[in-house]
Amino acid sequence: MKIKVLGIPFDSNSSFLRGPYLAPARIRLMATEGSANNYTEEGKEIIAGQDYQDLGDLSFSSQDPQKAYEQIKSAVSEAIADGSKLLSLGGDHSIAYPVIEAYALKYGPLHALQLDAHGDLYENFGDNPYSHASPFARLLEKGLLKSLTQVGIRTLTQHQREQAAKYKVNIIEMKDFTMDFISALERPLYISLDIDVLDPAFAPGISHYEPGGMSSRQLLDILLAIKLPIIGADLVEYNPIRDYHDMTAMVAFKLMKELIAKMK
Amino acid sequence: MKIKVLGIPFDSNSSFLRGPYLAPARIRLMATEGSANNYTEEGKEIIAGQDYQDLGDLSFSSQDPQKAYEQIKSAVSEAIADGSKLLSLGGDHSIAYPVIEAYALKYGPLHALQLDAHGDLYENFGDNPYSHASPFARLLEKGLLKSLTQVGIRTLTQHQREQAAKYKVNIIEMKDFTMDFISALERPLYISLDIDVLDPAFAPGISHYEPGGMSSRQLLDILLAIKLPIIGADLVEYNPIRDYHDMTAMVAFKLMKELIAKMK
Amino acid sequence: MKIKVLGIPFDSNSSFLRGPYLAPARIRLMATEGSANNYTEEGKEIIAGQDYQDLGDLSFSSQDPQKAYEQIKSAVSEAIADGSKLLSLGGDHSIAYPVIEAYALKYGPLHALQLDAHGDLYENFGDNPYSHASPFARLLEKGLLKSLTQVGIRTLTQHQREQAAKYKVNIIEMKDFTMDFISALERPLYISLDIDVLDPAFAPGISHYEPGGMSSRQLLDILLAIKLPIIGADLVEYNPIRDYHDMTAMVAFKLMKELIAKMK
Amino acid sequence: MKIKVLGIPFDSNSSFLRGPYLAPARIRLMATEGSANNYTEEGKEIIAGQDYQDLGDLSFSSQDPQKAYEQIKSAVSEAIADGSKLLSLGGDHSIAYPVIEAYALKYGPLHALQLDAHGDLYENFGDNPYSHASPFARLLEKGLLKSLTQVGIRTLTQHQREQAAKYKVNIIEMKDFTMDFISALERPLYISLDIDVLDPAFAPGISHYEPGGMSSRQLLDILLAIKLPIIGADLVEYNPIRDYHDMTAMVAFKLMKELIAKMK
Amino acid sequence: MKIKVLGIPFDSNSSFLRGPYLAPARIRLMATEGSANNYTEEGKEIIAGQDYQDLGDLSFSSQDPQKAYEQIKSAVSEAIADGSKLLSLGGDHSIAYPVIEAYALKYGPLHALQLDAHGDLYENFGDNPYSHASPFARLLEKGLLKSLTQVGIRTLTQHQREQAAKYKVNIIEMKDFTMDFISALERPLYISLDIDVLDPAFAPGISHYEPGGMSSRQLLDILLAIKLPIIGADLVEYNPIRDYHDMTAMVAFKLMKELIAKMK
Amino acid sequence: MKIKVLGIPFDSNSSFLRGPYLAPARIRLMATEGSANNYTEEGKEIIAGQDYQDLGDLSFSSQDPQKAYEQIKSAVSEAIADGSKLLSLGGDHSIAYPVIEAYALKYGPLHALQLDAHGDLYENFGDNPYSHASPFARLLEKGLLKSLTQVGIRTLTQHQREQAAKYKVNIIEMKDFTMDFISALERPLYISLDIDVLDPAFAPGISHYEPGGMSSRQLLDILLAIKLPIIGADLVEYNPIRDYHDMTAMVAFKLMKELIAKMK
C-alpha cells in the first residue's frame, strides 16, 4: 500500500489569525534538523521516499475560497486515484472539506474521527461556506460521512449542539473524555486531526487557545489504541507564527510519523 | 439573581513581581478579540450586560495597603448590598481579604474553597499585614470563615502547616489530590481561585512558578463537579507581564465564564 | 550522612544544541531570587550550607571529551570519598558516565533508575564515545550497573531496542507508563534524572523537544513514591537558552530540593 | 478645531499575516496601563475626551473587501463632515484607500505624505483591488492625490518603480534618506503612517520584517520637523500578534500622541 | 585609587513594574557565562578582585522605603569612607537619592550627569517621597547637586518642566540631542545611568518602554567622549523580567566595564 | 559570470552556543514564505535558478573540525573551479578559513573585508585551531590575504591587538566608524560578513550579544557604497535558536540578495 504526503498551505478561510499556510515547510524541517529521530513510539522507522512519497506542496495562485476548494479536491482525487493513502498537511481546517469529499467520491461515505477543540459544524460563519468553522457541516449536508465521531470538543455553542443533533454526530466532549469511543470506530476510517485538540500548553503554535484540552500523551495514546486500519488523514491548524522554539512543530512532526505508521 | 463583575487592579501587596493589576483589562479583551465564543463547557452563553453586569475597575488613588483594603471592602459591600453575587477580578491575592470580609459582614462567616499553589496563611510576611501571602490568615484570625478548604497546595512551610493546624484548615495538597473533597463542601460557598493552582505549563502568566500543579482540565473538572450554588468568587494573580500570546488570559477568560455560570 | 552538590557545567558532548553548561548557575539563582521557598513537598526545609554542602562548579580548561571525562570522574571520586552522597547538576547527560563510574569504583555496580525521554544507549553516536547519546551504553559495557531501569522513554530506535535487549535494560516506555516499577527498585539505588523526561510543555528549557512526556506532577509523584534511600543522583539537560521566564529553572530547583531530601 | 480618533479594526486585505485588526484596542490600553504619561515630546498634554474625541471602533459584520471599503469611506465622511480632523487607527494599510477618498470627496485632491517600507502601488496584487499592497495605486488612478511623497521605502519592484514614474510619485528611498523632503511638503497635507517604516528592531509588532528602516528617533524627528498643519492622518499595520511586551504598542501610542498634537 | 561595586537590589519604589531587584545577580552572570570577554572598547581589561572589589549585594530585611533609604545611604558612606570610588548596581532609580546623598556628605555638592528617558523630578509621585520618579527632586531640594545635566529625556510633563526651571537643570532632550554638553561638564562628576535612556530596541529589559531613545552606540560614544575623571556612578533600572535572551544584561555588563574603566 | 550559493551548516567550532548550522535552511525559507519580494534595494531581481545556482547544503558525516575543514575547502574549490563566484552561507565563522583558502588557492592571496563584532584573530582559542575565534589568524599565518580590513569591531583583547599589529590588519573599530575605508578597498575583493557586526537590536539571532554595533541601515549602506566587483562572500553566524519571529532570518535573506547583486 502506497502512502503519500501532500502539503496544502492554505489558510485564507481562517476566522481569527493566519499562519497555518506556513506549516508544511516547517514540519518537514523537523525531520532534517536533527533533534529527533525518525522512529515511531512503536518502533517503526518512517523515512521520506521509502515509507511515504512526499508530493510537496500545492501552489495556490489565488486566495479565492472556491477556487482553492476545487484545486484541493482535484489534487487529492489525483493523489489517491491509484489506491494510495494520503496524509494531508494543512493549512487550516477548511481543507478537510475538499480532502474528505475527494475520498468519498472514490470510496463512498466514510466513517470519520475528528480530533478537535471545536465542532466546525457552523452552517454559516461570516458568510463564507468554506470557513474553517464549517467543513464538517458541509460534508454532513452532502451526505459524505457515514458517521462522524468528534473527540476533545470544548467550545460548543447552542447552534453547534443543534447541528450535532441534526446530523447525529457522536461528540465526546473533553469534559467527559474516556477512551471508550475507540472500540466503536468503524471502517473505512478517516482521521482529521486538528492540533488544537491539545491543550495550548502542549501546542502553543495554534490560532485559537482553548484551555482544558488533552495532553500530547493522551493524544498519542488514542492513536496507538486505534487498531483499525485508516484510509487517510489530515493534520491541520499548526500555526508557526505562535510557536515557541518549534515546540508545536515537533508535536506535528511526531503526529505525522504516527499517522503514517497507522496507514501502513 | 443578579451577577456582577468588578475589576480590582491592585497588586502592591505582591512579594515578588507586579503585573496582576493589568489583569482585568486584559481578561475583558479576550471576550472581544474573537478567538473564542461566549459559551461555557456546559452550553450556557455568558454575555456582558445580559448575564452579568460589568462594574468596571476600581480606581486606586494611592498604593497604600490599608487604604486599598478599605476601598475594596467598601466597594464590595456596596456591590452586594442588593443581594447580587460578585465575581472579583484581581489583582493579587491580597484582595481576597477585604472582598471576603465584605461578604462575611453581610452573610456571616462563609465556607470558602481556595484553589491555590500557596497557603497564603502567613501570620507575618515582610511586616505587611495585607501581603498577598497572608489574606487567609487575616480572615481566619477574625473568624470570618466557617471553614476553609485549600486545594492544589504544594509549597507549605513549617509555619504554614502550623497555621493550618491552628485554624483547622482542610488542605488537599497537590501530591494527594483527588476529587473527594467536593462532596464535603457546604453552603454558603465562596470560591477564591488563584490561577497559580495550575501548573505553570498551563498558566505561564503568573508571578510564582511552582511546578507540579493541576492541569486546566482538572481545574475545569473541579468547577463542573461542584453542584452547590456559590455565593461569590474571585479570580486572582493573573500576571500579563509573563504571559505567552495571551495563553493565560484565555484561561482566565474561560474560568470567568465558568464561575459566572456557577453563580446563576 | 553528608550531602554535597556539584555543578558540572559541561555540554560539549551534546549532539544538537549547547546550553546545559549554563544550568548550574541558573538553578542556584532560583534559590535566592525569592519567588519560592526552600521547602519540599513533604515539608522538609533544604538550605545550602546546612542541609547540603555546595561544592560550586567544576572548571573545564578544555572542551576535550576525554579530559572532561577524567576530570569529572576524579572530582566525583574525591567528593564521595568520605562517604558523602552527591547530587551532580549538569551539563548534558554525558556527565552521567564518569559520575556513575566514580560511584561504582567506590561501591561496586549500582542499581540505576534513569528518568529520560531517550535511551542514551547508542553504541556509537557521531564517533564520540562520550556523546550524550551513549553514557548508559558505556556504563553497561563496563559492567558498572547491576540493573538499569529506564522510565519515560519515547524515542527508541531499532538499535537502541537491541542494546536494551542485550544488556537486559528494564524499559518502561511512556506509552506504557504506570508506577509499578517502583516496587521493584533495589539498593544501592542511583537516580539519573534527565529533565526531558517531562513533556516539553512542562520543561521548555531543554535541547530535544519530544512530545508525549510526563507531567511535572507525575515526576514529583515518582520521586515521592520511592521509599528506598538513594546513594546519589544527577540532574541533567536543563538548557537555559530555550527556557521561558525561568519556568524550567524552577522545575530544576524543585527537583533539586526533592532529590536532596531523598538522600537524607 | 475638533480632532477625532477612529479605530478601524480591519485586516482582511493583508497578503501575509493577520493581526492588525487587534491594534486599536491594544493601543488604547497603553494610555491607561500607566507606564507612560500623556505628554508629547514638545510638552503638549493629549487627553481623550478633552484633546480629542474617541469614536471607538468600527464594527465589521463581514470580511468582504468591497463592503468594508464602503463602510469605512462612509464612516470617515460622517466623522469629518463637521470639519473635524480625523486620526484613523488601522487595521492594515488597505484602509487608507477609503479613508483618503472620503477626505478628497470633501476637500478635493490632497497632498499626501506616506511613511512606509513599501510603495503599496501594485496595480494588481492577488486579484484583490483592495489589497494592502495597492491603496495608493487606487487613489492615484482616481486622481484623488495632488501629490504623493513616499519616505522610507526599501522594497521597490520593477512594477512599482513604473507605477511611481507613471504617477509622478516622489519617492525618498531609505537608502537615500535625508530630511530635505520636508520643506517641499504642501497643504492640505495628509499623513499616512505605516509603522513598518521603522526598522523591525524598533517595531517588532508588524507583519512584514524589512530590515534597513528608520529608527524611532528619526521618525519622531520627521514629525517634529513638519511645521505645516495636517488635515488628517492614519496609523496602520501595527500587529500585536508579533509584538514583544507591547514594545510596538508603545511606539504606536507615542505616534498617536504626536499626530494628534500635529493636528491641533 | 580603589574601585568598588555594590549591588543594591531594591525596586519597591517603582511605579509600574518590579524586576530591577533581580539585576545585580544577572549582570554578574554575564561576566562568567563566556559569550564576551572582559575588555573595554579602549582595550582595558576589567577583572573582579583585581580592577575592582565586588562588595556583593545589600540585603534588605524590609521593603519600607525609608528604611531602605537609610540602609543604602549608610552602606555607601561606609564604602566610600576610605576614598574609594563606587559603582552602584540597581535596583530602580530611587537608589540614586541615598547613593548621591552619601557622596555629597563626604565631598560636598556634586556635578551630576543623568542619562535617562525620564526627568525623575516629581515633587510628589503617588505620595511616596522615595519614588523612582523623584530622586533628583529630593537631591535638588536638599542642595546636594551643584549642577544637574540630564541627557536623553523624552517624557517631560508640565510639572517636570517647571521643576527643571526652578532648579536650573540643564536638560538635553533626545529630540535636540548633540554631544555638545560634554565639554561643559565639571568636576567632581557623578554619572547616574538609567538604562532606559536607550531606545527599547536596544534595551528591552526595562520597565518603561519610551520610544525615541539613543542607540547603544550613542551611549557608548558619550561615555568614551567624557575625559573628566568621574567620582562615582550608578547603573539602574535593568529589569530582567522583560529581557530577551539576556540582551539587556549584556548591555548592562558592557556599561559596567566602561564605567569602571572611567573611574580608574 | 555564474554565481553559486552553498549552504555550509557546520557550527561545531563555536565557543559558546550552537545553532548556526540551522541557518541555511531557515534563510532559504524566507524566500518562499511570502512576506518580502526578491528585489534588492537598487532594483535588481534575484531569483534562484536564474540569477544564481543553489548548490544546496554540504552534508557533514562527522563533527571533526579537521575533516570539516578539508571537506569545505574541497567543496568550495570544486564550486569555483569553473570561474563561478560563490556565496557561502554558514554555519559559524570558522568556515571562512577553508572557504577563503580555497579561493586563494585558485586566485592567489585576496583582499578581504571582514564585517564583524569580533576580530577572530586568536592564535589559540581553547586548543582548537579551527575555532570560530581564529579563522583570520589561520589565513594570515598562511599568507593567504594580501590585506585584511575589519569593520565594526568592538571586542578587542590585548592579544588580538597584538595579532592585528603583527599582521598589519586594518581595523575600523565601531567606536571610530566612518565610511572612509571604502575608498581604500582593492581587488580582488572578498567579503566575509559576520551578522553580529550588527547591534543585537537588529539581529537578535546570533550567539554573542555585543552592544554598540551598527544598524541594518548602516550595513546596507556599506554594501551599496562598495563599487568594486567582489569575487566571493560568506554570510555567517546567523543563529535561529535565538531569533525573534525570523527577524534575523529576514536580515540574512536581505543581505544574501544584496551580496549576490554585488557579485553580478
Side-chain angles (χ1 to χ4, degrees), chain F residues 57-113:
Chain F
D57 284 1
L58 288 188
S59 172
F60 294 91
S61 53
S62 155
Q63 296 300 307
D64 181 76
Q66 182 162 354
K67 284 185 192 160
Y69 160 79
E70 297 292 352
Q71 184 181 350
I72 295 167
K73 192 166 63 172
S74 154
V76 171
S77 289
E78 190 181 341
I80 63 174
D82 62 357
S84 294
K85 291 179 170 181
L86 183 70
L87 171 63
S88 304
L89 301 177
D92 66 35
H93 216 153
S94 71
I95 69 157
Y97 171 22
V99 168
I100 296 177
E101 185 170 12
Y103 259 92
L105 289 174
K106 182 171 174 67
Y107 294 104
L110 310 174
H111 295 283
L113 170 62

Side-chain angles (χ1 to χ4, degrees), chain D residues 12 22 25 37-40 55 68-69 77 90-91 114 118 155-156 159 168 182 190 212 216 218 248 254 258 262 264:
Chain D
S12 294
L22 304 165
N37 62 49
N38 288 310
Y39 282 80
T40 67
L55 302 175
Y69 160 79
S77 289
Q114 176 190 353
H118 312 86
T155 58
L156 291 178
H159 167 68
K168 300 192 178 14
I182 290 176
Y190 180 95
S216 295
Q218 287 176 301
T248 316
K254 184 152 192 164
E258 298 293 337
K262 196 103 292 181
K264 296 188 89 163

Side-chain angles (χ1 to χ4, degrees), chain C residues 21 26 29 33 241 245-246, chain E residues 21 26 33 241 245-246:
Chain C
Y21 92 85
R26 301 276 170 148
L29 215 50
E33 289 203 342
I241 293 298
H245 279 296
D246 297 318
Chain E
Y21 92 84
R26 301 277 171 147
E33 290 203 343
I241 293 300
H245 280 296
D246 296 318

Side-chain angles (χ1 to χ4, degrees), chain D residues 1-5 53 55 76-87 103 106-107 230-233 263:
Chain D
M1 176 64 67
K2 203 166 170 188
I3 300 171
K4 296 174 177 172
V5 170
Q53 179 187 359
L55 302 175
V76 171
S77 289
E78 189 181 340
I80 63 174
D82 62 358
S84 292
K85 292 178 169 181
L86 183 71
L87 171 63
Y103 259 94
K106 181 171 173 67
Y107 294 103
I230 66 173
I231 195 169
M263 291 190 197

Side-chain angles (χ1 to χ4, degrees), chain B residues 143-160:
Chain B
L144 301 171
L145 299 179
K146 228 179 296 186
S147 76
L148 174 59
T149 305
Q150 296 186 329
V151 178
I153 310 296
R154 50 198 188 276
T155 57
L156 290 178
T157 59
Q158 184 56 27
H159 167 69
Q160 294 212 78

Side-chain angles (χ1 to χ4, degrees), chain B residues 2-17:
Chain B
K2 202 166 170 189
I3 300 170
K4 296 174 178 172
V5 170
L6 176 65
I8 306 181
F10 192 83
D11 63 7
S12 293
N13 291 317
S14 295
S15 58
F16 179 49
L17 297 179

Side-chain angles (χ1 to χ4, degrees), chain E residues 38-91:
Chain E
N38 288 309
Y39 281 80
T40 67
E41 292 215 331
E42 289 181 327
K44 295 180 201 155
E45 196 170 11
I46 305 295
I47 297 177
Q50 179 176 313
D51 298 284
Y52 66 93
Q53 179 188 358
D54 190 336
L55 302 176
D57 285 2
L58 288 189
S59 173
F60 294 91
S61 53
S62 156
Q63 296 299 307
D64 181 75
Q66 183 163 354
K67 284 184 193 159
Y69 160 79
E70 297 293 352
Q71 184 180 353
I72 296 167
K73 194 165 61 172
S74 154
V76 172
S77 290
E78 188 181 342
I80 64 175
D82 62 356
S84 293
K85 293 178 169 182
L86 183 71
L87 171 64
S88 303
L89 300 177

